[in-house]
Structure formats: C-alpha cells, structure tokens
Amino acid sequence: MTRARELGIRIGELEPGPLDAITDVGGVRVGHETLWEGDEVRTGVTVVVPPELPCFAGADRLNGNGELTGLEWLRESGLLTSQIGLTNTYSVGVVHDAIVAVRVREGTDLWHLPVVGETYDGFLNDIQGMHVRAEHLEAALAAAADGPVEEGCVGSGTGMICHGFKGGIGTASRRAGDWTVGVLVQANHGRRSRLTIDGVPLGRELGPERIPAPGIPEGAGSIIVAAATDAPLLPHQCERLARRAALGIGRTGGAGENSSGDLALCFSTGNRALGAAEGVVGVSMLPNEAIDPLFYATIEATEEAIVNALLAAETTTGRAGRVVHRLDPDALVEVMRRYGRL
Amino acid sequence: MTRARELGIRIGELEPGPLDAITDVGGVRVGHETLWEGDEVRTGVTVVVPPELPCFAGADRLNGNGELTGLEWLRESGLLTSQIGLTNTYSVGVVHDAIVAVRVREGTDLWHLPVVGETYDGFLNDIQGMHVRAEHLEAALAAAADGPVEEGCVGSGTGMICHGFKGGIGTASRRAGDWTVGVLVQANHGRRSRLTIDGVPLGRELGPERIPAPGIPEGAGSIIVAAATDAPLLPHQCERLARRAALGIGRTGGAGENSSGDLALCFSTGNRALGAAEGVVGVSMLPNEAIDPLFYATIEATEEAIVNALLAAETTTGRAGRVVHRLDPDALVEVMRRYGRL
Amino acid sequence: MTRARELGIRIGELEPGPLDAITDVGGVRVGHETLWEGDEVRTGVTVVVPPELPCFAGADRLNGNGELTGLEWLRESGLLTSQIGLTNTYSVGVVHDAIVAVRVREGTDLWHLPVVGETYDGFLNDIQGMHVRAEHLEAALAAAADGPVEEGCVGSGTGMICHGFKGGIGTASRRAGDWTVGVLVQANHGRRSRLTIDGVPLGRELGPERIPAPGIPEGAGSIIVAAATDAPLLPHQCERLARRAALGIGRTGGAGENSSGDLALCFSTGNRALGAAEGVVGVSMLPNEAIDPLFYATIEATEEAIVNALLAAETTTGRAGRVVHRLDPDALVEVMRRYGRL
Amino acid sequence: MTRARELGIRIGELEPGPLDAITDVGGVRVGHETLWEGDEVRTGVTVVVPPELPCFAGADRLNGNGELTGLEWLRESGLLTSQIGLTNTYSVGVVHDAIVAVRVREGTDLWHLPVVGETYDGFLNDIQGMHVRAEHLEAALAAAADGPVEEGCVGSGTGMICHGFKGGIGTASRRAGDWTVGVLVQANHGRRSRLTIDGVPLGRELGPERIPAPGIPEGAGSIIVAAATDAPLLPHQCERLARRAALGIGRTGGAGENSSGDLALCFSTGNRALGAAEGVVGVSMLPNEAIDPLFYATIEATEEAIVNALLAAETTTGRAGRVVHRLDPDALVEVMRRYGRL
C-alpha cells in the first residue's frame, strides 16, 4: 500500500496531521468489514464513528444519483445522530436497519434515522446476491478504531472503481491553524480521461492503451465524502465545509456526472454534550471570518483522499472474471516527473 | 368507515374527483399489506404506484425528523424512479431493499434509489420486532389497484396516531380546471389540542376528558404526503405543489413539530415516455400562471385526506394493552354544528 | 385602529406579549416613513431594526415572486448584517443603496449586502413615479422606536391590498415559555374568497356584494414576514421558525399564489457580540427538543399579524380614483359570532 | 489583449465555439459601459442579454458573500425574466431600479424582479462615490451585441482583482456534441498563492516577489458566473449546470472563501415562447443521460473564462494611487513550459 505523500506528492499548501487520515480528528474511529468470497463477492461495510453522538453536522450534494439516508433530519436538526455506515447500493436497507437495531440496543431515542451511504460495485461484485447482512455492519462497528486507516480494497471500498482504475476507500487530513480537518472517501466515480492529480493530467497520459480500462460506462459510479473537524463549527458552517468537498472532487477530475451520487457530509467534534433536551446549551463557534483555512483543508484533504484511494487499491478480479487494474505507482511517478513534479 | 364528505364536511372551494382519492389521477394505484398479529403487531406496508416510471416529481420538507429515501436523486433528476413505499420507522431498510429487488427483476436500470417513507408506530406496534419483511412489500405491490382506496388502520397506517386520535392512511382529491390533484397521507402527527377541521377547533372541544388520549408525547409522530396530478408539471412545479402540502397540514393544526417528519412529494403523470436516454424529448408544461388552482387543490386535498384518515380509523388496542381512540364521528358532527357548520 | 384582541379574537393557544407586537422582543425597533401625496402617491418605507448587528438569522420562501435582497449571504453566514428595509417593488434599489450608504457612514464592514423586501402597490400608488428616495429610508430609520407599532396604511404598507381588502403593516407576538416571538408583516397577498380568520370563512361570507373588491387580479401581491425572537437560536433554528410563518399565512387563507412573493426571515436576539472575527465565540443554543412552543408562537403571531394588518387599514383612495375598502370590523364581528366565536 | 488559446493553453477535452465566448450561444448579447474618470473612478456596468425573455434558468451558490438579486423568483419560476446586470457592490440598487424602468418601458409584466450581480471594486475604485447611474445601465444595454466580447478591465470588470492580479471580465465557450455552452465571468476572487492554470501552480511560481501583489486581504472579492446554453434544458437542469461552475472556479484555485460571493446562474435558449400564460406549452428537454458533456463544457468554459479575464486585464492604477498588476503573459508562458505545458 502506497500513499500519495510517500511518493512525494504534495497536494495544496497545508500540512497533514500525523496520520494523514480522518482519525487525526481526535476520537474519530473507522471500521471495515470486507466481504471477499469466491469469485463473485467483492463488497463490504465501512463505518465512520464520531467520538460522541449527536454532533453538529451539515451535508452537500454535488450530484444526487446516490443515497445517503438520514439527510432530511441531519439538515433539519443540524445534528448527526448515528454512526455513518457505507456499503454498496443494494445493501443500504440492511445496513440501515442494522444501525437502527444497534441504536435500539444502545438505548437511545425512540426513533432512529441512520446515515447510510452507498456506491455501486456491481461490476466486480455479485451485488444482486445481497451478501451484506446485519452482522457485517456490527463487525465493522466492532472493528472501529482510531489510528491508521486501512485504504483501498477494504470494507465498502472492496469492489469500487475510480476514474477507470481500481478505487475504494481513501483518507487524508490537513492542519488548519489550531484545527484539523480529516476526510474519508468511498471513491467509485470519474472518467479515466479526466483524472488529474495535483493538476497533472494523469488520465490523458495513462490511457487504456497503457493501463487497461474496465468495460463499464465511464463516469458512472459515485463518491461519498465524510469529513470531520475538531473546529467548533455550527451546523451551517459544517454544511459550508461539506460543500468544499466538491471542489476537491473537481480538482481531481470529477464532474458530478449524471450517473454519479456525489454526496458529502461534515461533522464537528468541537462541541460536546449536545444531547441535552432541557435548558439552554452553551456551545462554541468559530467565527466565519476564521473559516477559510478549514475550507482549504477540506478541499486538499478530499483531493488527497481520492489519490490515496487510487494508490492503495490493488488490481482486482471479480464477477464474471472481470479485472480492474490499479493505478500503477511507477507509471504515476513517471508522468508526474514529466510534468515537473516530484 | 366514514368519510368527511359523507358527514357533510366541505373543505375548501374546489370539488373532489369521483372517488375523492389519489386514484382519481388516472393510472395511479394504491396497495396495502396490513400486519395485525396477536396483541403486539400493528403495522404494514402501503405503496403508491404511478402509471409509468420515471415521471416528473418534486419534494418538500416541512420538518425533517423522518426518512424518505431517494430524495437526493429525485431532486437532482427531477424524476421519481421507483414505486413509493410507506412503512414504519424501523422497516425502511427492508422495504428499501425489497423495492431494489423488485426493480432488478423488472430489469430496469443498473442501480436503484427507491423512495421509501416512514412514520413511527412503536406505541401500538412491536416495532423492535421488525415484523415487516420483503414479502409484505411484494404483497402490497401485488394488491395495488385503482378504484377506491382503503383508509384508516390499513397497510402502513395500521399503527399510526394523529392529533391524539387513532390515525393512519387517508386520501382525497380535487378537480382544478382540466386537471386533478390527488393526495394520500400517512398521518401520524399532531397534538390533540391544535386539531382544527375546516377551521373548527375540534381538538380544544374534544379534549382527553371527552375522548381519552394516548399516553405519548404530544406532537411526536410524522406525516408523509404523496401527491399526484395529471397536470403536465415540470419537476420544479411538482416541488411547488409538494410545498403546498405543508399548508394543508398547517390548516388542520399541524406545526411540523420538532419530533415530526413531515415530508411531501408530488409526481405528475402528465408527461410520459421520459425514460428515453437519447435525443431530445418533447414534454408539456402547464405555465406557472395557470398553477394556482393546483396549489389550492393540493392544500384542500391534503387537509381533507388528514380528516379522512382520522374518520376511517378505528379505536385500536395494541402493544402492552395500549388503546388509542378514534375521533368519534358523532362527537365531531356535534362540535361542527355548534360552530355553524354542517 | 382596531386590533384583533380588542375585538375578542383569540388566535391559537399562546398568550401575546404586553404590546402584542414584534417590539415585545427586547430591543427590536420599528420605523415608518409614509408617502401620501396628492391623489397618486400611496407608498413608503418601513424598517425593522434588531438591537444589535450582526445577529443569527434564517429565511424561508413559500413562494418566490418577490425580492428580499441579501438572502444569499444571510443563508451562507447565518447572520443578519443590516437593518431590514421594506418598500414597494420598484423601490428596492434605492432603499438598498440607501442602506449601503448608512452602513458606510456607520463605519462597519467594507461591503454591504442589505436585506430589502418589497411588495407591489401599483394599484393604488404611482409606482412608476419612483417616489421613494434615500431620505425616506433615513427618515424611517430615524423614526425607529420600541413601544407600540403603528399598523395598517403606514410606511411600506401604505398602498397594500390583502385578501381583497385594504392591507398593510401588521404585527403580533406570543410568549413561548421563557421566550417571546414577535412578527411583523407587510400584507399584500391573498384572494378574498379564501380569507379565513381563526378558522372562520370570512372571505366567503364577506364577498364583493357586501364589501366591494378592487378590480385587480386576485391572488396577486405578496407578503413579507419578519420574525424576531429572544430565544437563543442558531441560524438553522431561525430558518425553522421562518418556515413556520408559511403555516400562519396558510391558516389565514394564503396559498403562496404564483404571483405572490411570500418570503419570511427570522432573527434571534438571544446571542450578542457575534461580530468578533477572532478566536472562538461562546454562544447559546436552545435545544431542538424545546423548540415546539416557538413554532406555535410563530404560526399564531403570523396569523394574528395578518388579521391586525387588515383591521388597522383604512379604506383608501389612490391612483386613478381607485378605492380599496377596509375589512369592516362590525361585519367581521357579525360573521365571527355566527360561527360560534366571540 | 491576449487569450488563453492564443498562448496555446488548452483547458480540458472539449473544443470551444468559433468565438470562444458566451456569444457562441446563438442570440446571446453582451454589453459594457466602462466608467474610467480621473484617478479614482474605475467601475462600470456589464449586461448579458438572452435572445428572448423569459427563458429557463437555474442558479447555484458556492459562497454567498455577494448579491445576485432576483434569485428567489428565478428559483421558484424556473425562469430568467430580465436581462442580467453586473456592477459593483454599492451600485446594485441603481442598476436594479434602472432595469425595472427599462422593463416598464418595454411594457412587460406589472412587476419586475431584475437579476443584478455585483463584486467589490473599492480597492481601485471610489466605490463610496456611487458613480454608477441609471444611464450607464442603459448605455450597456444599448451596446449589447453579439460577436466577440471585450474582456478584462471593461464594464463591471474595470476595477476588479483576481487571485492577486488585475481581474475583470472573461469569457469562453465549449462545444458539447450538438450543443454549445458559453460562460462569462466577473472575476474578482481568489488568493494569489492558490491560482492554478490548467493544473499548473501559477500562483506559487509567480509570487509577490516576481509580480507585486495588491495590499488587500487575500481571498476577498467574489466571482459572478453567467452561463448560457442552446441545449434545451429544463430549469432543474440549468441549476445542475450552474452548480458545475463551482468546479471550474475550484480547478483554478478558488475556494469560495468566506468573504467571497461566488454565485452562478445558467440560462437555456433552447426553448422559446415560454411567456404564454394560457394553455399547455410544448417544450423540449435534453434527457439527463445526455447531460454530462454539458457539465464538462461548463467546468472547462468557467476555468478558461477566468484565465481569459486574467490575461485580458491590464495593470491598473486607481484610487489613492494604488496599482494592481496584470498576470504577465510572458511569465505565464515561462512557468507553463517549465511544467511540461505549451
């Protein structure tokens, strides 16, 4: 597993946190459960778990050909009230109900509106087999941990395809003054020819004649972005950060294609104990005037998380013998050098 | 089963269609599957099926403490691409996945973003038992028919509570010039004291000393509104109609309380053959200048559908021996008369 | 000048503040400048001035056939950064620039995005004459005061028409536990036949055969709602209150007709000193779970403010000898009694 | 005046139209009125005029610290109902009222909700002097023409600053299959250090030590994007294109900074005769499945329009002797070559 920084790629102006991962935001945990069975099962579940629920959050849609359940309540209340579950398109329901069951056991509110996102892995995975079960969500939750985050063909990223290369889970972070922004993506979007890394037209240089392309409609797929920050942001400010994820997607060559579900949410860990139902609650707010570094951090971390997803993924054979090739790091380095980088 | 019009209640200025139901919009079908087992299972599934998919659609949120999956794609594409499934809060997932499976069998697109709405029936129903299964969605779809629509304690409305009375499914329609607007509600919202019917303060007059109230937090619950019209509306115009559903809710005493998921969607059957992926498609549009009667129709039909849900529902005993009383028609008539109506 | 409460009309369940006006929210001031010249000038400017700028705010659109400048920044920042100016449709620009000039003199930020709303008074007023000048905005600001608020044909309400009667400025307030919500409307919307007051179908009873109707297209016009509260609401919560104003409009018979600009904003005075650009700011938040009484308050105060606008307005003769009649209080009382009220 | 293509810069995959300008969309006209007086007046008015009003349109906000009046009605109705006026921040009002007066003279509807956008030119221009008058809007309208579009320090772009260089008006277009997308920007946004052109980090290479930077807060300012297409898009599809403008801004290094008003609108000329108020109107729709090329076109044209604004602008001396330097084309070419381009 190679990461962008290990190759010397430096996206943007800000420095990453120690792990260059969403877990650089204190208390955030990530868990994966990978389903890799026989020739046809290439899927899984990934969870992102805030240190405390509820927390302030906001969401944004670059293109809506996807599902991220729970957004009506997240936007209305300004709160994220469940762990974030990620999976494939046909397993949204089972993961949704599994989170409900977990929340019931945890003895929280009467009703539950979990946040579950998806992208489509049916090219490599037997998606119609609906192999994801409630136990897989529970296993991902049980595995949720801080520290380094496994990337690439893991958890819900197992069967994903990004810009015509093997895609999956990626993460990155940025320091923005006193604060940290961390991003995790499930990258399953984009056309090969439009891929740019740190501004270099990788996709044009590494066409299908150099690295074979999967035989799927280009631009299909989707990307889900989960962003976290320890800056004390109010809900509308979280939404502003979520909207900047689109710029990171765009800088890497994404366009929010029609068949893509490009949805982002951002939560803040900077305010705690928001669950109180009585009295007036004291909360902290970063003034809007100080928010620009967080915008830059979100853009840069999203961009790098996508690159990390590409670099970590391995060439994968799946359903019907289909093969999706990884973005070869050596080829990447060669092109980057030719364009005056590295 | 009594309906508002049978009692002589005439809400608004417009006339209903022949059935005074969402099925007055040609080709729209409704199906119920009711789960009523033992002392504790009081739930079900209801489906609303447009005559053709996809069709233009729009959505609106009065208050977001609820789930209506598929809204990101509905808003992005302007299209409703699945049957509408309604159920209880904990069964969104299973119904979601069941619709995916149905759509896969129907051989439509590669990926599926079903529209599934919910309200909470855990006071009367053993909601944690998760009794709804895929077969129930399939049964509701199989039962979907035009003609009169069963109301009250049926399908997904089986366990619902509305303004402190037994609630459930209700429907109504209005003629607006050449067009028809039909509305179906899953009514599970509202406080007793704020209920007004055709402007008469029913809730104040029929307090718990006259008709016992359930021992649940008032204002909890939710309402889902599905509106249909044969007027050729573009997606942004469908959204405008959906927004008027809130006014019908408000006129009956709803306030979009914090714990309520008050979500509305509207689809138009006035344009067909929208699924073509190639070339330019000719569509029809009702000019904005002609839309007011449809606004009035949506408001009035929503208001009457809520009243019909109340009138059709029967006093129900459910989980833990709890009883929720119906809005007694005789008491209703007595109060309406006292306020110069009927 | 008669007010709803003086006639014994009691809308809703909550009690008003001492003035039953937006100025019951401490520190809020209202100022009018009325232009009534010759036979044809019937217009003016009204301002609503929060006790401190910026303050948290949110906005909502029931129907967008109107202008309320500054909303993009209000929604983005969560802040109201200028006094609210109200005037006629053709004078938005001059009032906008006049507020800019005032803000420049006050030595605040470099750039200014004033909030200016409008409704159309061209039936009674020579609107094309563009009689409103910068000095009128300044006069309204200079006149801004706490205490009772003049209603009816005053300030920007001078030439307005509401539900086919003479309309204009109205205000009301409600106590919601420890908090107060105040509303001010510029009411220029609605059809005669749909007017309902406290649920009574006034419009049907007082048709043009009893009180002449102006010869304008029914349902034209608009309503601007400014709501204020001393509850410490975050921006997304202010937006939630603004959305409830639509329910008050709807309960009185408004439908957000196509030609109507029905726009609402809500600001909170419950957090101060938000202008600091550095460091982290401590703010207070009312939990969502405690917000329902504020929703009810907003609905009821909007409803009563519209009725107060109707009751305060006097029969007015304007451009081309046109006459718009007031809603006669005696006729109102007679009808209300017939429907079991008063 | 140099343009990106003349230097050999080829942004994206698609080809421009013959003029590489918004006027490649048939019937679209652009007019400028430049105010350049003495040492301190550096401002103006620019108009974009669709071939017919109303036309379908949609809008998007990347960051809302700016004004674009008329958006509530544009979003509600799906229609652009006035010429688009662009000017400086303090002149929104006068241009707004001037468009109202023009529309009144044109004898159109009773009320008018013009679309007027702004960015702040107070660093170079005596903005407090409010030098823009109604006659300037009228002159810009009179000058509106098809054919090549003057760029840089012209019209409303006269005093603008972009990524720390002299900015202003820029335009570009792209062919997307049978259709054309044209974009015009008023570019007054961005930080120097973040400027990237076709992926090359120009801003880092051309720091203030090579080309002096103005002494203003970085990231202040705004960008207004007007996009036009002859593809027959419905309003919600126009909105989707408008949203892609943000990706073009992001690819050039914009971030929607807090003090930036980054607003985009898109109109379609592909449907005519939409003003009819009666009967059902036949319109054409490009299916969503065919929209991706238009997304790419919007992204690429926005990116190139920003570069063209930078290249066309001349070093400008204004208020208080302040100087803002242009992006020197020779320096640009040198850097681009070093990064493997040109």
Side-chain angles (χ1 to χ4, degrees), chain C residues 167-215:
Chain C
I169 300 293
T171 190
S173 73
R174 285 294 182 275
R175 294 285 303 164
D178 295 337
W179 316 109
T180 297
V181 175
V183 167
L184 181 141
V185 300
Q186 174 166 322
N188 189 46
H189 70 295
R191 296 172 74 90
R192 171 77 66 92
S193 66
R194 297 189 77 85
L195 174 66
T196 53
I197 294 185
D198 200 14
V200 174
L202 251 292
R204 284 209 297 264
E205 296 288 340
L206 299 179
E209 71 290 347
R210 283 202 52 183
I211 300 180

Side-chain angles (χ1 to χ4, degrees), chain D residues 43-55:
Chain D
T43 194
V45 178
T46 292
V47 295
V48 178
V49 185
E52 186 181 293
L53 293 173
C55 55

Side-chain angles (χ1 to χ4, degrees), chain D residues 157-238:
Chain D
T158 303
M160 301 302 163
I161 300 169
C162 178
H163 282 290
F165 298 106
K166 186 68 189 67
I169 299 293
T171 190
S173 74
R174 286 293 182 276
R175 293 285 301 163
D178 294 337
W179 316 110
T180 297
V181 175
V183 166
L184 181 142
V185 299
Q186 174 165 321
N188 190 45
H189 69 295
R191 297 173 72 93
R192 171 77 66 92
S193 66
R194 297 188 77 84
L195 174 65
T196 53
I197 294 184
D198 199 15
V200 174
L202 252 293
R204 284 211 297 264
E205 295 289 340
L206 299 179
E209 70 291 347
R210 282 203 51 185
I211 300 180
I216 50 164
E218 294 241 24
S222 303
I223 178 168
I224 301 288
V225 181
T229 184
D230 51 10
L233 301 187
L234 299 190
H236 70 293
Q237 297 175 313
C238 290

Side-chain angles (χ1 to χ4, degrees), chain A residues 25-109:
Chain A
V25 177
V28 174
R29 293 176 296 130
V30 174
H32 299 297
E33 175 70 3
T34 304
L35 279 74
W36 185 295
E37 299 158 16
D39 295 336
E40 304 250 319
V41 180
R42 303 283 182 272
T43 193
V45 178
T46 293
V47 294
V48 178
V49 185
E52 186 181 294
L53 292 174
C55 56
F56 284 145
D60 184 61
R61 176 183 95 215
L62 170 58
N63 197 65
N65 206 333
E67 183 62 82
L68 192 56
T69 67
L71 287 193
E72 297 305 308
W73 181 227
L74 188 149
R75 288 173 175 139
E76 182 78 42
S77 66
L79 296 169
L80 175 65
T81 58
S82 87
Q83 303 91 341
I84 302 167
L86 303 176
T87 188
N88 74 54
T89 310
Y90 290 13
S91 301
V92 167
V94 67
V95 173
H96 177 282
D97 290 355
I99 294 182
V100 167
V102 167
R103 299 291 287 163
V104 167
R105 281 207 309 269
E106 289 172 353
T108 54
D109 292 340

Side-chain angles (χ1 to χ4, degrees), chain B residues 42-130:
Chain B
R42 302 285 182 271
T43 193
V45 178
T46 292
V47 296
V48 178
V49 185
E52 185 181 296
L53 292 173
C55 56
F56 284 144
D60 184 61
R61 176 182 94 214
L62 170 59
N63 197 65
N65 207 333
E67 183 61 83
L68 192 55
T69 67
L71 286 193
E72 297 305 308
W73 181 226
L74 188 149
R75 288 173 176 139
E76 181 79 41
S77 66
L79 296 168
L80 175 65
T81 58
S82 86
Q83 303 90 340
I84 303 167
L86 303 175
T87 188
N88 74 55
T89 310
Y90 291 12
S91 300
V92 167
V94 67
V95 173
H96 177 281
D97 290 355
I99 294 182
V100 167
V102 166
R103 297 291 287 161
V104 167
R105 280 207 310 270
E106 290 172 353
T108 55
D109 292 340
L110 277 182
W111 51 95
H112 305 286
L113 302 165
V115 171
V116 181
E118 56 68 44
T119 66
Y120 181 83
D121 58 14
F123 184 76
L124 285 174
N125 175 48
D126 172 31
I127 191 169
Q128 295 188 16
M130 293 191 164

Side-chain angles (χ1 to χ4, degrees), chain B residues 190-235:
Chain B
R191 297 174 73 91
R192 170 78 65 93
S193 66
R194 299 189 75 84
L195 174 65
T196 53
I197 293 184
D198 200 15
V200 173
L202 252 293
R204 285 210 297 264
E205 295 289 340
L206 299 178
E209 71 290 347
R210 283 202 51 184
I211 301 180
I216 50 164
E218 293 242 24
S222 302
I223 178 170
I224 301 287
V225 181
T229 183
D230 52 9
L233 300 188
L234 299 190

